[in-house]
Every structure is written in structure tokens, then in C-alpha cells.
Amino acid sequence: MHKTIQLTPDATRCSTCMLNSLCIPVGMPAGDIETLDQIVKERLRVSKGSFVYHQDDEGTALYGIRSGSVKTQLEDASGQVQVTGFLLPGEVVGIDGYLGARHMTHAIAMEDTELCVVPIQDVERITTMLPALSRQLRRLTSQEILRSQQLIMSLGVMRSEQRLAAFLLNLSQRLGALGYSPREFILRMSREEIGNHLGLTLETVSRLFSRFARDNLIRIRQREVQLLDMEMLHQLTGSDCE
Amino acid sequence: MHKTIQLTPDATRCSTCMLNSLCIPVGMPAGDIETLDQIVKERLRVSKGSFVYHQDDEGTALYGIRSGSVKTQLEDASGQVQVTGFLLPGEVVGIDGYLGARHMTHAIAMEDTELCVVPIQDVERITTMLPALSRQLRRLTSQEILRSQQLIMSLGVMRSEQRLAAFLLNLSQRLGALGYSPREFILRMSREEIGNHLGLTLETVSRLFSRFARDNLIRIRQREVQLLDMEMLHQLTGSDCE
DNA sequence: CGTGCTATTGACTTCAATCAACTCCGGTGG
DNA sequence: CCACCGGAGTTGATTGAAGTCAATAGCACG
């Protein structure tokens, strides 16, 4: 389910948003953020399981996640799916549609999610006037590529336990940056989604969680995770430094 | 070995380059390409095995491959390497350094290679005046991400034979676009490099080549490949559409 | 209080990695 | 010119990590 909300003048805007140290405005001068306020005129509410956009949709906007979480996934001609990322509040989805004409992935809400809509048309219009914004877009794009590279590294060279350890630490780090506890959090995604993301089966993910728990690296109860030995997890990640 | 060549006024420029329908100038108006001529003032010759740039180097230029070929690879903290791509003439390397401040990968010449140097400073300077160029950069970035996504898909969901079939077809298609035969070509990279790129061992790659040859899908003699049954290879790629 | 997901655990299989021997080829130098 | 060397590639035997299939357990929701 989708619901668009027009922002009233007194609503929270970029310049007053708690997430503006993470989202699109990072490091932009205050004046520029106010210009951004002008073009972010609506929010989108997407209920759990619904699409923010589909693969091959025309890219019409960037979406800053205000609350909730989103997964992005690729689908190939034969319907095979690969989850390419899990996005948290303060992170931006839809840059692929800004770079090319169309979105290269599906974006799906993992829980009821609220997104700030930044129309691409407006971005293009003001980007020439605001060098800070175009710098920012490049930075976001760069992050997007970095994320891809990390996933490639994970899928290409890591073994299952390394992948999962790296995944947990990555989530932990990002949640920490959001002000949540980096040691204790709720997984918003199922074992199957994690497995698909990491190129593993849900059974393997489940077994690894159990093993990590047995080795006192983590505690896990359903989707509630507690990282007990981040040092050791980190070592697992880099693994055979021989 | 590196050697920089200053371009003389009568040297081939973007506007007269045979590759200008592929490289940075794709689809740019003639006038804009001439502006591009102004800023591409030198070429770089890099001998086989040498680095075009290193991971974490500051991004100072984009490089259009004029002849030869280049591989890009990620290296993590523990020295593990993952080949992220093989680039051909007319393709552009170094965009990661334009987007972020630093290159995220190593770029290494797979044979003696000549590259057109497009200084980032100049790109930034003229990009505001040439909307076609900034559109172009976005397109290139988008392609870069597309490449990553394809690799992620390959590493994440495909089985070894699917990966190799997809790899061969991808090479074939790109060589075809360059005007070479899409059915018969020389691999510029070793079994080991292919294996690393596809998340396989060199032995597996070798075995698969042998098997494909036995099944009359390809003919292979050392690094010389001939695609005999592209239809079947393509089917292998998409595979279990069940 | 069922019903249906989601997750766990076990038994078995399979695909690709590993280890190892051997071949092929290109280059170098006697 | 041939012999030798070393790197690249092939092929075989074996191992091992993760997948598959299957049974069961735990929650969540109506």
C-alpha cells in the first residue's frame, strides 16, 4: 500500500530533520539545505512488503528513508532474485534511477516505511546552482558503488561464516551511526532474505547463527540479536590473514 | 612501465577517434566533443602487468582505453583479491575516483595498453557548461553499477557453468560492439584471472572449458576461443527457467 | 486453539575446492 | 638447433563446505 503525504509548511523538513546528518544533506551548508526543503514537498508511506519502485520503472525521484527499512533486489529474465541491500533510515534509495533512466532494482519495504520524496526533475533543475548538492549526489553514488563492491567481495572470496560475520558487523555499525545500540538489535529481515543476500540458503544461515551462538559470539532469539564478541566476529571476517 | 605522451595538435582526438561512438563521447553533440578535445591533452602508455592506478590513490583522471585491455581488482585488508572487471578499448576506467575522492580498485594493464587521460579537474570545470557531458558521466556511472550488479547476480545465484557461459557471452557481445568477431576471439586473461573474477578456481574454469568443448559449445585452444553454439550457451546462462 | 509462517536441526548429496601429477608451450642459453 | 626450464593449463582422485530434502519446533495471528 502506498500513501503520499503533502508536507505542510510546519512539518519537519530536511533542515529540521533529525537524520540530516546522515541523509542527503550531509555536510551541506545550511542555506543549501533550505533550498532542499523547497523541493522535498511530500512523503511516501509504504506498507510492509509493498514496492517503493519496481525494476525498470522510470526513475522519478530519490527517496530518503525517514523511518522503517527497505530492501533492494535484482531480478533476472528467468525470475531469479538476488537481494542487493538492506537500507536503513537516513539512507537513500533510488539513485540508480537518477543515474540511468530507469531503476535497476526493485525496492521493497521490509516494514511500514516512510520516505522523503526528492523529485529528480527538481534535483536536475537546482543541481547547477548548488555545487554542494551535486557533490553530495556523487558521494551517495560512490557509497552505492562501495556497497556493491563489498557485496562482490563477500560473494566472491568469503566463506559462509565470514559473510555472515561481516553482515552482522556491517548492520551493527550502521545502526550505531543511527544512534541505536550496535550490540543489540532486531533483524528486520528473514533468514531467507539474509541467505539470498549473502548467496547462501536459509538453512545455512540458521545453522551459522546457531553455531555463532554456541561459540558465544552472539546471542540470538528469533530476530533479536546480541553481539557478544565483536572482536572475534571481526577476526572471523578478515579470517585467514595467515 | 608508464609513459605519458603529450598529444600534438594533429594527433587523433576524441572528435576523430574511431572509438568515439563507444567511449566518453557517446551521443554527445559534435560541438561538445570538440570541447572534450581541449581537455584530453595526453595519453598514457602502460605496459603489461603495470598499474594504471592503485586502490586508494587519489582520483585525478578518467581513462578511456584506446588500445589494449585493463582489469580492475579489489584488495581487502588481508590482501585477498577479487577481480571486478575486464575492460576493453572504448571503455572507461577510473570513474570510482571521480565519484569519491579515491579509487576503490586497482587498475592493471593486461597487455600493453594506451589510455586517453581526461583530468578530473577539467571535467569539473567544464561540466557545468556541458550538460551533455554530465549526462554522459551519469550514463557511464550507471553502466559501472550495472556491471557490478551483473557480477553480483553471477556470484550470488549462478552455478559455475552458468557463470562461465555468461562471462563468455558478455565478452563476445562487447567485442562484437567493437567491431571484432563475436564468435572467435583471444582471451586476454589467464584461467586464474577468470576464476578469480567469477569466484571459481582456475581448475574449475579449465574443466568447464574442456566440458563446453566436449559438448561442442565452444572450441578452445589455449586462449583462443570460438563460440560454436551461442544459443545453447545463452540457454545455459538463464538455465533452470523450469 | 488451530493454522500457517518462520526457524531449527538432522541425514544425505552434490558441486566445486584442494591436492597432485602431468602436459604443453614459449623462451633462453648452451 | 636442441635441451632445458618455468609458467600456464589440463586432468584425476579425494575432500569438504554448503545445498537439498525432510521432519520438527516455535511464534504470531485470526
Side-chain angles (χ1 to χ4, degrees):
Chain A
M1 236 280 293
H2 278 239
K3 192 171 159 198
T4 301
I5 297 161
Q6 301 303 323
L7 291 183
T8 54
D10 59 320
T12 300
R13 296 307 187 92
C14 291
S15 51
T16 55
C17 176
M18 288 199 320
L19 294 170
N20 75 9
S21 60
L22 296 158
C23 190
I24 298 184
V26 180
M28 285 171 65
D32 291 359
I33 299 184
E34 274 161 34
T35 310
L36 199 56
D37 284 351
Q38 311 285 311
I39 69 171
V40 182
K41 290 192 284 285
E42 55 183 50
R43 297 240 180 86
L44 195 61
R45 286 217 170 114
V46 182
S47 58
K48 181 174 176 169
S50 295
F51 285 74
V52 180
Y53 52 77
H54 287 77
Q55 189 165 318
D56 299 325
D57 275 359
E58 197 185 337
T60 56
L62 305 176
Y63 304 89
I65 302 178
R66 202 168 138 67
S67 65
S69 51
V70 171
K71 66 170 170 177
T72 52
Q73 58 185 38
L74 287 165
E75 185 177 343
D76 73 7
S78 63
Q80 289 251 65
V81 162
Q82 164 76 38
V83 174
T84 54
F86 300 112
L87 287 299
L88 303 178
E91 299 181 324
V92 178
V93 260
I95 302 170
D96 51 352
Y98 165 72
L99 295 168
R102 304 188 163 274
H103 290 293
M104 295 192 294
T105 58
H106 299 287
I108 304 170
M110 296 198 293
E111 55 194 313
D112 291 356
T113 294
E114 196 169 309
L115 305 125
C116 300
V117 179
V118 190
I120 284 179
Q121 276 196 319
D122 297 332
V123 170
E124 297 197 313
R125 194 165 43 71
I126 67 166
T127 206
T128 45
M129 298 178 287
L130 293 188
L133 181 58
S134 58
R135 215 176 311 125
Q136 202 53 7
L137 288 168
R138 272 161 54 190
R139 203 187 54 83
L140 286 169
T141 305
S142 177
Q143 277 193 349
E144 183 95 355
I145 293 182
L146 182 65
R147 265 199 287 269
S148 297
Q149 309 275 26
Q150 285 173 341
L151 185 55
I152 287 170
M153 206 71 196
S154 172
L155 295 170
V157 309
M158 290 184 172
R159 283 189 290 89
S160 59
E161 55 171 21
Q162 297 180 283
R163 293 184 207 177
L164 193 64
F167 170 76
L168 287 174
L169 289 175
N170 175 275
L171 254 191
S172 157
Q173 184 264 314
R174 283 154 64 205
L175 287 164
L178 266 176
Y180 296 107
S181 166
R183 326 192 65 87
E184 209 171 336
F185 47 88
I186 308 283
L187 297 170
R188 247 64 239 209
M189 64 299 281
S190 68
R191 303 290 188 263
E192 178 159 27
E193 288 169 316
I194 298 173
N196 183 304
H197 179 54
L198 300 177
L200 304 170
T201 58
L202 68 100
E203 291 96 328
T204 300
V205 173
S206 177
R207 274 186 246 274
L208 285 170
F209 274 142
S210 301
R211 200 166 99 214
F212 285 178
R214 188 152 14 89
D215 298 348
N216 292 311
L217 301 176
I218 65 171
R219 190 168 300 159
I220 187 149
R221 240 200 86 213
Q222 295 297 117
R223 299 197 176 181
E224 203 182 312
V225 199
Q226 205 179 339
L227 306 188
L228 300 175
D229 190 345
M230 302 192 48
E231 182 50 44
M232 192 61 207
L233 280 173
H234 198 268
Q235 237 169 287
L236 257 187
T237 288
S239 200
D240 35 298
C241 291
E242 67 256 54
Chain B
M1 237 281 292
H2 278 238
K3 190 172 159 198
T4 301
I5 298 162
Q6 301 302 323
L7 292 183
T8 55
D10 59 319
T12 301
R13 297 308 188 92
C14 290
S15 51
T16 55
C17 176
M18 288 199 320
L19 294 170
N20 75 9
S21 61
L22 295 158
C23 191
I24 297 184
V26 181
M28 284 170 67
D32 291 0
I33 298 183
E34 275 162 33
T35 311
L36 199 55
D37 284 350
Q38 311 286 310
I39 69 170
V40 181
K41 289 193 285 284
E42 54 183 50
R43 296 240 180 85
L44 196 60
R45 286 217 170 113
V46 183
S47 57
K48 180 173 176 170
S50 295
F51 286 74
V52 180
Y53 52 78
H54 287 77
Q55 189 165 318
D56 299 325
D57 275 359
E58 197 186 336
T60 56
L62 306 176
Y63 304 88
I65 301 177
R66 200 169 140 67
S67 66
S69 50
V70 171
K71 67 171 172 176
T72 51
Q73 59 185 38
L74 286 165
E75 185 177 344
D76 74 6
S78 63
Q80 290 252 64
V81 162
Q82 164 76 38
V83 174
T84 54
F86 300 112
L87 287 298
L88 303 178
E91 299 181 323
V92 179
V93 260
I95 302 170
D96 51 353
Y98 165 72
L99 296 168
R102 304 188 163 275
H103 290 292
M104 294 193 295
T105 58
H106 299 287
I108 304 171
M110 295 199 292
E111 55 193 313
D112 291 355
T113 295
E114 196 169 310
L115 306 124
C116 300
V117 179
V118 191
I120 285 180
Q121 276 197 320
D122 296 333
V123 171
E124 297 196 313
R125 194 164 43 73
I126 67 167
T127 205
T128 46
M129 299 179 287
L130 293 188
L133 181 59
S134 58
R135 216 178 309 123
Q136 202 55 6
L137 288 169
R138 271 160 55 189
R139 203 188 54 82
L140 287 169
T141 305
S142 177
Q143 277 193 349
E144 183 95 356
I145 293 181
L146 182 65
R147 266 200 287 269
S148 297
Q149 308 275 28
Q150 284 173 341
L151 184 56
I152 287 170
M153 207 69 194
S154 172
L155 295 171
V157 309
M158 290 182 171
R159 281 188 293 89
S160 58
E161 55 170 22
Q162 297 182 282
R163 292 185 207 177
L164 193 64
F167 171 74
L168 287 174
L169 289 174
N170 175 273
L171 254 190
S172 157
Q173 183 264 313
R174 283 155 63 205
L175 287 164
L178 266 178
Y180 295 107
S181 166
R183 326 192 65 87
E184 209 172 335
F185 46 88
I186 307 282
L187 297 170
R188 249 64 239 210
M189 64 299 281
S190 69
R191 304 290 189 263
E192 179 160 26
E193 287 170 317
I194 298 173
N196 183 304
H197 179 53
L198 300 177
L200 304 170
T201 57
L202 65 102
E203 291 98 327
T204 299
V205 172
S206 177
R207 273 185 246 275
L208 285 170
F209 274 142
S210 301
R211 200 166 97 215
F212 285 177
R214 187 152 14 88
D215 298 348
N216 292 313
L217 300 177
I218 66 172
R219 191 168 299 158
I220 187 151
R221 241 201 83 215
Q222 296 296 117
R223 299 197 177 181
E224 203 183 311
V225 200
Q226 205 179 338
L227 306 188
L228 300 175
D229 190 343
M230 302 192 51
E231 181 50 44
M232 192 61 207
L233 279 172
H234 198 268
Q235 237 169 285
L236 256 187
T237 289
S239 199
D240 36 297
C241 291
E242 69 255 57

